[in-house]
Amino acid sequence: MTTHPYAALIFDCDGVLVDSETIHVAVEIALLAEMGLAYEWDIYLSRFVGLGVPEFHAALAEDYAALGYGPFPDDFGPRLHARAWPRIEAELKALPGAAAVAAKFSGPIAVASSSITPKLRRKLELTGLTETFAPHIYSADQVARGKPSPDLFLFAADNIKSAPATCLVIEDSVNGVKAARAAGMTAFGFTGGGHADAGLCERLIAAGAVASFDSHDAIAAHLFPS
């Protein structure tokens, strides 16, 4: 019996469905430090994780210019890809229980991720999750503005024919939670990814998540109590 009020379920991908943020963040912080941009782990998670690629690069460019370094290097994206992607191909795992939550949910489900479409689809393919969500796999490169703007979540809701107010979003980032709330959706925080630090739960709640969970099993128990 359905005991929750949600008609549709939208998952972020990185750090929610697949444990990729622990790779991405470690590589990004190391590369940026080499470029003269040093960030504390928790500050980096709050500011940058979940952003669309253009928004991420624009924010870094502002910090780079503020330090007097001039224009942000044009080759940052390719350099980052060259370091991170071999590790993604070799190390990426699905986060336990995500597919089970999706399977139990009786309404429409979707993925809405800041990863660009080819990388998003490859991550789902590597972890065996493509069939769980296809065809409702949506990327920030399909909308005008990435997270924390609401565009991507509204796009996903429109494609699964669900009113935003009836959608539940599962997000691991402050920017993702802000995007869900801006879209008029309910957000659950998720701290089960390898990148999550001790303060992430509090930051997700402060950003507007109604609750935060450290595993998909905990989400399942909340949504589908026996």
Side-chain angles (χ1 to χ4, degrees):
M1 179 182 294
T2 300
T3 59
H4 59 78
Y6 311 111
L9 181 58
I10 303 175
F11 292 82
D12 178 43
C13 180
D14 295 290
V16 172
L17 295 177
V18 302
D19 202 13
S20 52
E21 291 292 17
T22 187
I23 298 171
H24 283 303
V25 174
V27 172
E28 289 162 9
I29 286 179
L31 177 56
L32 289 167
E34 292 173 14
M35 298 165 55
L37 288 173
Y39 297 100
E40 297 294 332
W41 185 270
D42 59 338
I43 294 172
Y44 190 89
L45 293 184
S46 296
R47 285 190 60 195
F48 300 122
V49 172
L51 289 179
V53 173
E55 292 80 8
F56 175 48
H57 287 190
L60 292 175
E62 286 186 11
D63 288 358
Y64 198 75
L67 291 173
Y69 295 149
F72 195 64
D74 291 336
D75 65 347
F76 174 74
R79 288 170 65 192
L80 184 60
H81 173 84
R83 289 199 190 188
W85 203 255
R87 290 189 57 186
I88 293 292
E89 291 280 350
E91 302 172 27
L92 190 65
K93 305 292 185 187
L95 282 157
V101 172
K104 282 188 174 183
F105 194 82
S106 59
I109 60 172
V111 179
S113 170
S114 293
S115 284
I116 64 172
T117 297
K119 292 182 178 181
L120 169 59
R121 291 186 176 274
R122 180 58 177 159
K123 289 171 184 175
L124 296 175
E125 179 185 1
L126 285 168
T127 53
L129 292 171
T130 303
E131 291 187 5
T132 299
F133 295 99
H136 299 299
I137 299 168
Y138 305 112
S139 164
D141 59 28
Q142 296 176 277
V143 296
R145 300 175 299 170
K147 304 171 188 178
S149 296
D151 302 33
L152 178 56
F153 287 130
L154 292 174
F155 181 75
D158 183 61
N159 276 275
I160 59 177
K161 297 178 170 51
S162 299
T166 70
C167 295
L168 171 63
V169 173
I170 301 178
E171 264 286 356
D172 70 310
S173 73
V174 167
N175 289 306
V177 169
K178 288 180 177 178
R181 297 298 300 126
M185 302 177 181
T186 300
F188 280 0
F190 183 78
T191 61
H195 66 294
D197 63 12
L200 182 57
C201 174
E202 291 183 2
R203 297 196 299 273
L204 295 174
I205 296 295
V210 299
S212 187
F213 301 88
D214 63 5
S215 71
H216 287 292
D217 288 345
I219 293 175
H222 180 83
L223 293 177
F224 319 111
S226 48

